[in-house]
Amino acid sequence: MNRLIEKLKKISVVPVITINNAQHGAALAKTLVENGLPCAEVTFRTSAAVQAIKNMRAAYPEILIGAGTVLTTQQVDQAIEAGVDFIVSPGFNPKIVAYCQQKNVIIIPGLNNPSLVEQALEFNLTTVKFFPAEASGGVAMLKALSAVYPMSFMPTGGIGPKNIKDYTALPSVLVCGGSWMVPNHLIDSESWDELGKLIAEAANL
């Protein structure tokens, strides 16, 4: 976990990616690495996710890869087999958290209220996802949670260039998650130069 934390501290935002064609994985990884964001959270919202992660890992072994929107133990197994560094879930599912810990893979579960933070603490978690960030009260809610609980947060949901610095200014925020720099239509159309510009801009926020 410490290694992951140190890597996440070095970047401004984790690109949250929904990929429709696994063959785009290697080129996308190249674009991320060359433009200053050597990290990706590939969501398990499409059937291409697992193979895309494998392709990204094969092309760029050093890139930091998470599996996002992981909802089942089967998806946990698939993510581990694909070579991810960590797993992210949108909510706090004790079964998934326990299974990840049993499998010795880092899990960053989503939560947005005090009761769920306390459940996370029961599992000895120190880093969680604050989701959906803006819809859950945004910076004000995160400040309230941070004042009470010794936890690091990865806010995701509704975050973009206009408000990301409001979040990263908080000491409790490790890194933010966002998808604005990796829009689906640019990935689908293989617009790597245009994607590169958006990624570079995000890396410099």
Side-chain angles (χ1 to χ4, degrees):
M1 184 60 157
N2 289 338
R3 173 178 166 271
L4 174 65
I5 296 300
E6 289 306 313
K7 285 192 172 185
L8 290 175
K9 281 181 179 179
K10 294 178 181 179
I11 60 176
S12 57
V13 60
V14 174
V16 180
I17 298 162
T18 301
I19 193 163
N20 295 308
N21 184 343
Q23 298 308 311
H24 291 154
L28 180 55
K30 180 176 187 288
T31 306
L32 289 166
V33 169
E34 291 183 350
N35 289 282
L37 282 181
C39 180
E41 177 189 325
V42 180
T43 67
F44 269 43
R45 297 178 187 174
T46 70
S47 58
V50 173
Q51 188 58 51
I53 291 170
K54 291 180 179 179
N55 293 345
M56 295 173 81
R57 177 62 72 210
Y60 287 85
E62 74 280 9
I63 193 172
L64 193 63
I65 305 177
T69 323
V70 172
L71 305 175
T72 68
T73 55
Q74 180 184 15
Q75 289 177 330
V76 172
D77 290 336
Q78 290 174 331
I80 293 171
E81 195 271 332
V84 299
D85 297 291
F86 61 102
I87 287 172
V88 182
S89 59
F92 189 91
N93 183 331
K95 178 182 177 182
I96 299 300
V97 172
Y99 190 75
C100 287
Q101 290 180 334
Q102 177 188 337
K103 292 288 184 175
N104 293 315
V105 63
I106 295 168
I107 171 76
I108 303 177
L111 47 76
N112 67 349
N113 65 67
S115 295
L116 292 175
V117 174
E118 292 193 14
Q119 285 194 52
L121 290 171
E122 284 295 305
F123 280 85
N124 296 315
L125 296 176
T126 57
T127 301
V128 293
K129 177 180 179 177
F130 179 57
F131 178 83
E134 282 291 281
S136 299
V139 170
M141 181 62 164
L142 198 49
K143 283 182 178 179
L145 292 173
S146 302
V148 181
Y149 300 109
M151 190 75 75
S152 292
F153 295 92
M154 183 173 74
T156 307
I159 296 175
K162 293 182 179 179
N163 63 357
I164 187 171
K165 289 186 178 180
D166 295 334
Y167 284 92
T168 56
L170 302 179
S172 63
V173 170
L174 174 64
V175 68
C176 289
S179 58
W180 77 88
M181 80 299 292
V182 283
N184 291 0
H185 71 280
L186 292 184
I187 298 174
D188 291 340
S189 62
E190 301 182 357
S191 302
W192 308 122
D193 289 342
E194 194 171 348
L195 272 165
K197 292 177 182 177
L198 291 175
I199 292 166
E201 289 172 359
N204 290 314
L205 287 174

